[in-house]
Amino acid sequence: MNVLKINVDVAVCKSSNTIGTEALAIRNGLKLGTALMCPKVHIESDAEAIVRRCSDDQDPPADIAVVIHDCLVLKKSFTSLWF
């Protein structure tokens, strides 16, 4: 089974938006998967809130809505994608 596994983890200072930074990291991982033309991708992240938003139809918080929307669009590029 040929699967691209991408582990995303972010370390930020206290004043940074951790949720937004994790969302950007996941989006970049999905972009990498599409750029490498991998049909099967496994994204590994400890950002449970972001993973949940990328996996269902819940409305994301306004500050990360655009990034989550991008992730949902990128998800369609893969035959298999799991978190």
Side-chain angles (χ1 to χ4, degrees), residues 6-68:
I6 300 170
N7 186 331
V8 237
D9 199 6
V10 175
V12 294
C13 63
K14 288 183 181 182
S15 63
S16 295
N17 178 349
T18 305
I19 297 292
T21 307
E22 289 277 359
L24 289 170
I26 290 173
R27 182 180 66 182
N28 288 340
L30 293 171
K31 284 182 175 183
L32 176 63
T34 58
L36 294 174
M37 295 183 286
C38 294
K40 298 176 183 177
V41 174
H42 177 194
I43 300 284
E44 191 172 279
S45 172
D46 59 357
E48 186 179 325
I50 302 302
V51 168
R52 193 171 46 250
R53 298 283 195 233
C54 291
S55 300
D56 60 28
D57 292 331
Q58 289 183 350
D59 289 332
D63 59 337
I64 60 167
V66 172
V67 178
I68 297 299

Side-chain angles (χ1 to χ4, degrees), residues 71-82:
C71 291
L72 294 172
V73 170
L74 287 165
K75 255 176 63 165
K76 297 175 185 177
S77 304
F78 308 105
T79 58
S80 253
L81 173 67
W82 62 99

